Amino acid sequence: MRRKLVVANRKMHGSIAENAHFITGLLAGTADAGDADYAVCLPHPYHFQAQTLLSDSPIGWGGQTMSRYAYGAHTGSVSASMLLELGCQYVIIGHSERRKAGYESDAASGERFQAATEAGLIPIFCMGETLEEFESGMTVDVIIRQLNAVLKQVGVHGLAKGIIAYEPIWAIGTGKAATPEHAQCILSFLRGHVELLNEEVADKIRILYGGSVNAKNAKQLFSMPDIDGGLVGGASLNTDEFIEICRIANSLSCSTISVEQI
Ligand code: PEP
């Protein structure tokens, strides 16, 4: 059975004091919740804090993006080796806020994914459609195009070194999460697409849902058979709520709830 994973995407929020409060709270709040995995993605200047506070814990940490280049004249960019030096295990790739700002194309996301896995980081590859695309029935076309850009770059065995996150753009930061049924339908479709290439990879790869996950909807979402946890933005800014989401994932990691029971 795949372990649930809950990742905090803290975006451009926090300060040294706030991060310390968040991380120490999370450590205490998940100390007896070892059946799921947790990670925090802080802005780059704060990875040192995660390294100091989380090194002896099971909680991982990671970047919110990285360069596809190893080094060089790329002002403002951060390389995989720099993230690794600060102990990062994960890196978010292809987040819609970066795609929208023009920093990440499909092809560049594929290259970033490759650079991350070759360096030893675990990419959390984000994909998802806009509201307009959703309403015009384009969801599957968009996510398959985005996923295929990574598959083209690294193949199915390369994909297996990362994590997929389906994050419909219309659900991010809007308070309107996808219904568990919609999220399950899309994640199961994604897993099916991977299965066509390799059954073992499809069975093992973790696929997260992201978009307005909170303490109220996490149980229903994470109970779905193909949803292996969540990428959590806004709700990770409230330490108690984020801990609650982690504890829900923990309680479901060892349960056998079926869709009919939800
Ligand atoms: C995100 O941006 O990755 C995200 C999931 O945000 P939110 O939880 O705020 O919708």
Side-chain angles (χ1 to χ4, degrees):
M1 185 183 172
R2 296 178 297 271
R3 278 170 70 90
K4 301 276 187 211
L5 168 66
V6 182
V7 181
N9 174 14
R10 300 261 299 173
K11 310 195 184 191
M12 201 173 70
H13 293 289
S15 63
I16 289 176
E18 280 175 43
N19 301 335
H21 175 266
F22 173 65
I23 293 172
T24 51
L26 185 59
L27 276 168
T30 56
D32 61 345
D35 287 321
D37 297 323
Y38 318 109
V40 297
C41 293
L42 301 171
H44 294 318
Y46 299 127
H47 297 319
F48 81 93
Q49 247 186 313
Q51 192 173 34
T52 305
L53 296 170
L54 293 174
S55 276
D56 294 326
S57 85
I59 300 176
W61 63 97
Q64 297 174 9
T65 186
M66 56 165 263
S67 173
R68 54 195 144 142
Y69 304 111
Y71 59 87
H74 305 291
T75 304
S77 297
V78 166
S79 70
S81 64
M82 293 170 188
L83 295 178
L84 284 164
E85 246 192 321
L86 288 167
C88 292
Q89 298 97 46
Y90 300 93
V91 61
I92 295 172
I93 299 282
H95 192 281
S96 60
E97 284 158 11
R98 295 192 60 80
R99 289 182 191 260
K100 190 175 165 208
Y103 298 129
E104 306 213 14
S105 61
D106 287 346
S109 295
E111 288 175 32
R112 280 190 177 82
F113 191 105
Q114 180 172 27
T117 54
E118 284 178 354
L121 287 166
I122 301 170
I124 300 168
F125 175 65
C126 299
M127 64 179 71
E129 79 286 7
T130 63
L131 182 61
E132 201 181 8
E133 289 163 341
F134 173 66
E135 287 177 343
S136 54
M138 296 287 292
T139 300
V140 161
D141 303 72
V142 172
I143 59 172
I144 289 303
R145 190 199 73 222
Q146 292 171 336
L147 181 59
N148 281 347
V150 170
L151 285 166
K152 184 175 167 212
Q153 194 70 30
V154 299
V156 71
H157 293 291
L159 181 73
K161 295 178 188 161
I163 290 163
I164 296 171
Y166 168 60
E167 296 210 304
I169 296 171
W170 46 268
I172 293 182
T174 59
K176 293 180 190 152
T179 62
E181 293 75 18
H182 172 75
Q184 164 59 25
C185 174
I186 300 301
L187 268 63
S188 137
F189 176 80
L190 284 168
R191 203 179 294 287
H193 186 73
V194 177
E195 195 176 2
L196 294 174
L197 303 171
N198 187 299
E199 281 182 27
E200 198 186 343
V201 173
D203 189 44
K204 288 197 176 142
I205 195 162
R206 288 198 277 193
I207 311 184
L208 310 181
Y209 165 77
S212 295
V213 172
N214 58 39
K216 289 201 180 84
N217 61 25
K219 184 169 182 191
Q220 282 209 313
L221 284 162
F222 297 174
S223 297
M224 289 292 170
D226 284 293
I227 302 184
D228 301 322
L231 183 53
V232 182
S236 75
L237 300 179
N238 178 325
T239 306
D240 289 341
E241 180 159 22
F242 187 69
I243 290 169
E244 182 58 26
I245 295 169
C246 292
R247 296 189 69 86
I248 289 167
N250 178 70
S251 70
L252 293 170
S253 271
C254 40
S255 86
T256 51
I257 287 179
S258 69
V259 180
E260 291 74 34
Q261 290 173 287
I262 298 164

